[in-house]
Amino acid sequence: MRVLVLGGTVFLSRAVAAAALARGHEVWCVARGASGSAPDGARLVVADRDRPGALDELRGERFDAVVDVATMSLPWVADALDALAEKAGHWTFVSTINVYADAATRGQRADAPLLAPRTEPTERSDTPDPDVYGGVKVASENAVRAALGERAFVVRGGLLAGPGDPHDRFGYWPARMATGGRVVVPDVPDQPFQYADARDLADWIVSAGERGLAGTFDGTGPRGTLAAVLEGIASSVGAADLSLVPVPPEDLLAAGVRPWAGPKSLPLWLPTTHYGMADRDTEASLAAGLEIRPLADTAADVLADERSLGPNRPRKAGLTPEEEAPLLQ
Ligand SMILES: NC(=O)c1ccc[n+]([C@@H]2O[C@H](COP(=O)([O-])OP(=O)(O)OC[C@H]3O[C@@H](n4cnc5c(N)ncnc54)[C@H](OP(=O)(O)O)[C@@H]3O)[C@@H](O)[C@H]2O)c1
């Protein structure tokens, strides 16, 4: 196939480009080249999608599969569709589970009610309001379905893990556990948790293009609990003297520790009001070919990536040793 990745220089979209190359396809990427490089063997078209007509250079090209990860920008999606949809054989739009209106109810499927689409201009941000992020993705999904019909594959990503993750969430745990000692974990034995290794999601996206798989799916793995995932990471990468120290959520909140992400956080810990986001019924996705590798493999590869970045780098998510120490008293 001839595959076009709108993105391709970081994390998931780079993994899509790499997966397509590994499966023998011709791969083009479109990015500014600001986040990193496209994988070796891919052709990078340098373009800034904030500039109207950025994709004009590609207008009229025929691609068997197009993959767009556009976030927080309906104009990016509309421009891409205008330039490329007519001749595209298959179109993947990477969306998010933030599109759902109800974050609390567990066991929902991809046909659950959505947020209202946001079509008005929005400021892009690294830390967007989740409802704005979700609403723009809803509007983007609608535009893709309207243009591509039965050639549209919409994948709503959940938490993505894997090497090259710019968000620093999942990686906190293997990095921290590998240093050993007493490690603060949230005392939430019943918290559901789901994730996908970005490389597995990427493989599924490429195979969807090969097979012409269409429809709307959640792009996240089997249902489990956060406690089981943290214990699994501990047993794969933990140091010999490691022990997990569960701290009640109320004590964490009182100490100013945030759930989920960001500075001074315990990543992947969710408020109960958001349990539905990590407990989606993904049977349809798994039946349609999404396969998630064993947790131990993801944890080991993420730890290797963390080590290559350096253990003491500033992180976007997690606790510093100084923030963790008082919680262990
Ligand atoms: N991470 C998660 O846990 C998670 C969860 C749910 C859903 N998702 C979804 O998964 C996708 C992640 O995609 P990703 O990993 O590739 O990261 P991303 O940050 O969404 O995509 C970035 C890509 O877009 C390019 N880009 C950024 N600004 C650009 C511009 N002005 N013009 C042209 N290209 C531009 C970047 O390259 P340059 O900077 O080099 O231009 C890069 O290749 C997103 O759709 C996200 O919404 C992620």
Side-chain angles (χ1 to χ4, degrees):
M1 294 196 299
R2 210 164 178 233
V3 178
L4 178 69
V5 181
L6 296 169
T9 56
V10 69
F11 200 33
L12 175 63
S13 57
R14 194 173 197 281
V16 171
L21 287 164
R23 294 165 81 109
H25 301 303
E26 174 188 338
V27 178
W28 298 37
C29 299
V30 176
R32 297 162 306 171
S35 304
S37 59
D40 284 347
R43 170 172 174 174
L44 177 65
V45 176
V46 176
D48 181 351
R49 297 178 76 184
D50 279 329
R51 196 175 54 75
L55 302 181
D56 280 354
E57 188 185 328
L58 295 170
R59 189 177 291 278
E61 292 279 351
R62 190 190 186 288
F63 291 97
D64 301 297
V66 175
V67 179
D68 191 4
V69 294
T71 295
M72 299 291 289
S73 180
L74 188 54
W76 284 16
V77 173
D79 276 1
L81 293 169
D82 180 50
L84 297 158
E86 194 185 334
K87 293 193 174 174
H90 183 265
W91 195 287
T92 297
F93 179 70
V94 179
S95 186
T96 169
I97 52 162
N98 283 84
V99 294
Y100 295 107
D102 175 357
T105 302
R106 300 168 66 162
Q108 297 180 77
R109 293 190 301 255
D111 58 0
L114 304 181
L115 296 170
R118 265 190 197 252
T119 52
E120 63 274 27
T122 39
E123 283 276 302
R124 269 200 314 282
S125 146
D126 279 348
T127 51
D129 175 321
D131 284 353
V132 176
Y133 170 52
V136 176
K137 286 282 199 185
V138 172
S140 303
E141 289 186 5
N142 291 345
V144 170
R145 281 191 213 95
L148 275 298
E150 288 303 306
R151 292 172 292 146
F153 178 56
V154 173
V155 182
R156 296 175 176 151
L159 188 281
L160 299 182
D165 177 3
H167 302 287
D168 286 346
R169 291 179 294 213
F170 185 96
Y172 171 77
W173 293 108
R176 174 64 190 91
M177 289 178 186
T179 66
R182 298 172 69 232
V183 175
V184 169
V185 297
D187 187 10
V188 286
D190 300 327
Q191 182 195 311
F193 186 64
Q194 266 169 319
Y195 72 97
D197 188 305
R199 297 166 294 179
D200 297 328
L201 193 59
D203 239 12
W204 191 44
I205 287 170
V206 176
S207 90
E210 292 167 348
R211 295 181 283 148
L213 177 65
T216 299
F217 297 86
D218 286 333
T220 189
R223 297 159 83 173
T225 63
L226 181 62
V229 167
L230 295 183
E231 279 155 24
I233 296 171
S235 50
S236 328
V237 305
D241 67 341
L242 173 70
S243 68
L244 305 187
V245 181
V247 176
E250 52 277 18
D251 294 355
L252 295 171
L253 292 170
V257 177
R258 298 184 213 201
W260 190 244
K264 199 172 181 184
S265 64
L266 281 184
L268 318 183
W269 162 41
L270 277 171
T272 53
T273 49
H274 287 67
Y275 275 11
M277 295 186 70
D279 197 22
R280 303 203 54 80
D281 177 347
T282 52
E283 284 303 315
S285 310
L286 303 173
L290 174 61
E291 274 184 52
I292 306 297
R293 72 192 64 202
L295 171 63
D297 295 356
T298 299
D301 293 346
V302 169
L303 179 59
D305 187 46
E306 289 281 344
R307 285 186 165 144
S308 76
L309 295 171
N312 300 319
R313 72 188 166 98
R315 305 189 62 90
K316 289 184 190 156
L319 297 179
T320 63
E322 297 72 31
E323 288 163 348
E324 188 185 35
L327 296 162
L328 289 165
Q329 309 267 307

